[in-house]
Amino acid sequence: MPKGIPETVPDDGLTTRQRRTLPITAVHTGPGKGKSTAAFGMALRAWNQGWPVGVFQFVKSAKWKVGEENALRVLGASGEGGTVAWHKMGEGWSWVQRSTEAEVSSEEAAKEGWEQVKRDLAAETYRFYVLDEFTYPMHWGWVDVDEVVAVLKDRPGSQHVVITGRYAKEPLTELADLVTEMTKVKHPMDAGRKGQRGIEW
Amino acid sequence: MPKGIPETVPDDGLTTRQRRTLPITAVHTGPGKGKSTAAFGMALRAWNQGWPVGVFQFVKSAKWKVGEENALRVLGASGEGGTVAWHKMGEGWSWVQRSTEAEVSSEEAAKEGWEQVKRDLAAETYRFYVLDEFTYPMHWGWVDVDEVVAVLKDRPGSQHVVITGRYAKEPLTELADLVTEMTKVKHPMDAGRKGQRGIEW
């Protein structure tokens, strides 16, 4: 891939150096494969920079990403790059203390996740965030997209945020610097093949 | 992501178990971001299965993927998952012995890379291959796509192969089980922003 030459130079009063550390908001959307996978691939670069990486999985069952999770945990603990914190909604967020009897709805859990992301952004806890499948709570109206956009817009420092999932809403793609749509051209399940160990999870 | 229910059950005489270990050929193509990144994300799952991973980078300059390379090298050396071998065309393939005077063209180097991939497939050296940017040597006519298809079709065992890059030729996408097209919806360079550390490399 050739080094990119910007087509235009923005009239924003920033130096190239300042522009290079601007926080990036990226959205991976569309019906195809690779939305989350590419986000975790990006996390490898962030880790390599020594940046603290925070992953928030906004899904009930997280078993399909156990490969990525184990890999990033091993990297985070290796002492060679940045740290990695991996938060899963599926088993209840780790920071929420709850009696074993208490049941929480997916909607409440998604809201709790977003509240924590807000706290972490305000505190600049991480330098690189993966908000995995976070488009769905917005799509279902559980988390207000306008609030998300406002919080992301005003976040302090140079914190990069990647959001994955189908049905990304327009205010979010409007805000994002980088939007990639993954299109399914062909999938083995169409031919009756089942999910495969090492490929699907 | 819900667990996939196949739409059809193939009449191939295989059990579900056999079908689960069929070798997958995947192609990530299109003009958008994330083709290679998603392939390296898939490599995390393969690593987590304890599979030997082989990466072949068919590009002259490999500096943009140093994050993924470092991460996969650390994982491969961690003793917790599979091994990782990372081969780069950029500096001359490691297995090619050459006097320092000798110059080799990109075409020749690409051909050398493909010859090694063929040897490794025949020997079942790896269980998961990333042939990064391998569409280009085919696009430029340096490596014959029909030969690639024939070799992939007849490869022994259960070796998964992911090929990335634009302009994937039809015989290849025809053969592939999984084809994803990455479409650029919006890119920061369009707005005059430059490539950023930790994001682009």
Side-chain angles (χ1 to χ4, degrees), chain B residues 37-142:
Chain B
T37 312
F40 296 126
M42 290 175 79
L44 301 183
R45 292 188 209 137
W47 168 85
N48 188 57
Q49 293 291 337
W51 295 348
V53 173
V55 177
F56 293 79
Q57 285 196 283
F58 286 86
V59 281
K60 260 291 182 191
S61 161
K63 76 168 178 173
W64 280 33
K65 285 157 194 169
V66 66
E68 291 92 326
E69 182 182 347
N70 287 346
L72 278 160
R73 281 189 197 280
V74 166
L75 288 173
S78 71
E80 299 205 33
T83 56
V84 176
W86 192 289
H87 305 291
K88 283 190 276 197
M89 195 176 102
E91 309 159 354
W93 302 107
S94 58
W95 62 84
V96 180
Q97 297 293 326
R98 202 172 264 126
S99 76
T100 48
E101 299 299 308
E103 273 281 328
V104 66
S105 70
S106 294
E107 176 169 354
E108 259 177 286
K111 283 175 172 162
E112 286 172 354
W114 168 236
E115 289 303 316
Q116 183 63 35
V117 171
K118 280 199 283 185
R119 285 190 290 269
D120 283 328
L121 285 170
E124 299 187 51
T125 308
Y126 310 107
R127 182 83 191 266
F128 186 91
Y129 296 72
V130 178
L131 308 187
D132 192 40
E133 318 251 26
F134 186 47
T135 55
Y136 299 101
M138 288 184 266
H139 178 66
W140 295 322
W142 297 348

Side-chain angles (χ1 to χ4, degrees), chain A residues 15-137:
Chain A
T15 63
T16 296
R17 191 191 164 86
Q18 287 170 319
R19 231 173 273 124
R20 274 192 192 273
T21 58
L22 284 178
I24 287 273
T25 305
V27 175
H28 297 173
T29 192
K33 304 273 294 179
K35 296 185 287 292
S36 301
T37 311
F40 296 125
M42 290 174 79
L44 301 183
R45 293 189 207 135
W47 168 84
N48 188 56
Q49 292 292 337
W51 295 349
V53 173
V55 177
F56 293 78
Q57 283 197 285
F58 285 85
V59 281
K60 261 290 182 191
S61 161
K63 77 169 175 170
W64 282 32
K65 284 156 195 170
V66 66
E68 291 91 326
E69 182 182 347
N70 286 347
L72 279 158
R73 282 190 197 281
V74 166
L75 289 173
S78 71
E80 298 205 34
T83 57
V84 176
W86 192 289
H87 304 292
K88 282 190 277 197
M89 196 176 103
E91 310 160 353
W93 302 107
S94 58
W95 63 84
V96 180
Q97 296 293 326
R98 202 172 263 129
S99 76
T100 48
E101 299 299 308
E103 274 284 326
V104 67
S105 69
S106 294
E107 176 169 354
E108 260 178 284
K111 283 175 172 160
E112 286 172 356
W114 169 236
E115 289 304 315
Q116 182 63 35
V117 170
K118 280 199 285 185
R119 285 190 291 268
D120 284 327
L121 285 170
E124 298 187 51
T125 308
Y126 309 107
R127 184 83 190 268
F128 187 90
Y129 296 72
V130 178
L131 308 187
D132 191 41
E133 318 252 25
F134 186 46
T135 54
Y136 299 102

Side-chain angles (χ1 to χ4, degrees), chain A residues 1-10 12 16 19-24 29 32-34 37-42 44-49 51 59 61 63-68 70-72 74-75 78 80 127-128 133 158 160 172-201, chain B residues 1-10 12 16 19-24 29 32-34 37-42 44-49 51 59 61 63-68 70-72 74-75 78 80 127-128 133 158 160 172-201:
Chain A
M1 191 161 49
K3 193 148 185 179
I5 312 280
E7 280 155 31
T8 57
V9 174
D12 55 11
T16 296
R19 231 173 273 124
R20 274 192 192 273
T21 58
L22 284 178
I24 287 273
T29 192
K33 304 273 294 179
T37 311
F40 296 125
M42 290 174 79
L44 301 183
R45 293 189 207 135
W47 168 84
N48 188 56
Q49 292 292 337
W51 295 349
V59 281
S61 161
K63 77 169 175 170
W64 282 32
K65 284 156 195 170
V66 66
E68 291 91 326
N70 286 347
L72 279 158
V74 166
L75 289 173
S78 71
E80 298 205 34
R127 184 83 190 268
F128 187 90
E133 318 252 25
S158 179
H160 306 293
L172 184 65
T173 56
E174 194 58 44
L175 168 84
D177 308 290
L178 174 64
V179 179
T180 305
E181 171 137 339
M182 274 71 169
T183 309
K184 179 181 86 165
V185 177
K186 198 200 248 183
H187 193 285
M189 288 182 192
D190 298 341
R193 285 170 69 165
K194 304 199 78 171
Q196 283 185 228
R197 187 167 61 94
I199 298 293
E200 303 288 342
W201 66 90
Chain B
M1 190 163 51
K3 190 146 184 180
I5 312 279
E7 282 155 31
T8 56
V9 174
D12 54 11
T16 297
R19 231 172 275 123
R20 274 194 193 277
T21 57
L22 284 178
I24 288 273
T29 191
K33 305 272 292 180
T37 312
F40 296 126
M42 290 175 79
L44 301 183
R45 292 188 209 137
W47 168 85
N48 188 57
Q49 293 291 337
W51 295 348
V59 281
S61 161
K63 76 168 178 173
W64 280 33
K65 285 157 194 169
V66 66
E68 291 92 326
N70 287 346
L72 278 160
V74 166
L75 288 173
S78 71
E80 299 205 33
R127 182 83 191 266
F128 186 91
E133 318 251 26
S158 180
H160 305 294
L172 184 64
T173 58
E174 193 58 43
L175 169 83
D177 309 289
L178 175 64
V179 179
T180 305
E181 171 137 340
M182 275 70 169
T183 310
K184 181 181 85 165
V185 178
K186 197 199 249 182
H187 193 285
M189 286 181 193
D190 297 341
R193 286 170 68 166
K194 304 198 77 171
Q196 284 184 230
R197 188 167 60 96
I199 298 294
E200 304 286 343
W201 67 87

